[in-house]
Amino acid sequence: MSLRIPGYLGTFWELLGDHLVMALGASLLGLVIALPLGLACVRWPRVYAPVLTVCSVLYSIPSLAFFVLLIAFTGISRTTVILPLAVYALAGLVPNVVDGLRAVPDSVRQSAVAMGFSTPRRLLTVDLPLAIPAVIAGLRVATVANISMVSVGALIGMGAFGALFTASVQLDRLDLAIIGIVATVVMALVVDAVLVLVQRLTTPWMRGPSRARR
């Protein structure tokens, strides 16, 4: 059984690069959208329920239908895959951003105000840093889901490792499907580990003195 990827699909590293660009691009775009949405929901609690409803409705749209609708505007491109996945990520990211911001103790906010912090400065230096654990928790889930969902893009010719699954059926080569599955799982594990490391580096106070003594 050959383990070579057919030349018309590209090399393993090209597929890896495409997969990461689409999955991580969608996650980052989702985060960029979720942060101001989450801030708005905390600032104006009444909009939280409608925002969650819209995110849930958008999440319910089948990915293939989403891709087909976008092709008319973005063509068959990475953008056609990235945009729907970014929208899907909102269903998990927005609640995590809201929960993270709501978990900031009022005493901490009041201390920042008493020290003369303006609202933007308090948001950037107090609220958002303390919300990082919840935000990254949501980002981890969204990113791992996106790494898996990118493969569906193979149905419109933009699935990166997902192309190995369709080629596996067309060419009757089980090895291609195995390569795609293993590569996707390993990629998800590595990216998740990187995000855990990012959280540890950006939240040194969570390691605490008790852990340091161990």
Side-chain angles (χ1 to χ4, degrees):
M1 181 172 64
S2 172
L3 292 177
R4 293 189 59 184
I5 296 175
Y8 69 89
L9 296 177
T11 67
F12 176 87
W13 300 111
E14 288 172 341
L15 294 175
L16 176 63
D18 283 344
H19 208 108
L20 284 173
V21 167
M22 288 186 282
L24 299 183
S27 297
L28 291 176
L29 178 59
L31 181 61
V32 168
I33 298 172
L35 284 174
L37 278 179
L39 290 169
C41 291
V42 172
R43 177 66 178 82
W44 300 287
R46 290 185 178 180
V47 307
Y48 187 30
V51 167
L52 276 186
T53 299
V54 171
C55 290
S56 298
V57 170
L58 292 174
Y59 188 79
S60 70
I61 300 175
S63 56
L64 182 57
F66 219 146
F67 295 156
V68 171
L69 288 173
L70 281 175
I71 286 177
F73 304 96
T74 59
I76 298 178
S77 64
R78 291 173 176 172
T79 304
T80 305
V81 177
I82 290 173
L83 290 179
L85 296 187
V87 170
Y88 293 151
L90 296 178
L93 284 172
V94 171
N96 277 63
V97 171
V98 172
D99 290 344
L101 291 172
R102 285 179 173 175
V104 178
D106 286 336
S107 59
V108 174
R109 289 197 177 100
Q110 291 169 4
S111 296
V113 172
M115 293 173 64
F117 282 32
S118 63
T119 299
R121 184 184 177 189
R122 191 202 71 204
L123 177 64
L124 293 174
T125 61
V126 178
D127 293 359
L128 286 178
L130 291 178
I132 283 177
V135 173
I136 290 188
L139 185 61
R140 289 173 62 190
V141 173
T143 302
V144 170
N146 284 341
I147 288 174
S148 174
M149 287 291 293
V150 163
S151 297
V152 181
L155 297 175
I156 61 168
M158 290 301 300
F161 282 122
L164 298 181
F165 302 140
T166 56
S168 174
V169 176
Q170 295 166 351
L171 303 176
D172 192 23
R173 286 186 52 185
L174 180 61
D175 61 302
L176 294 178
I178 293 174
I179 292 173
I181 292 171
V182 172
T184 302
V185 170
V186 171
M187 194 188 332
L189 291 173
V190 171
V191 171
D192 187 65
V194 170
L195 289 175
V196 171
L197 178 60
V198 169
Q199 178 178 331
R200 286 181 59 83
L201 293 175
T202 55
T203 56
W205 60 87
M206 292 193 64
R207 294 195 285 272
S210 60
R211 295 187 183 182
R213 289 194 296 267
R214 292 181 183 178

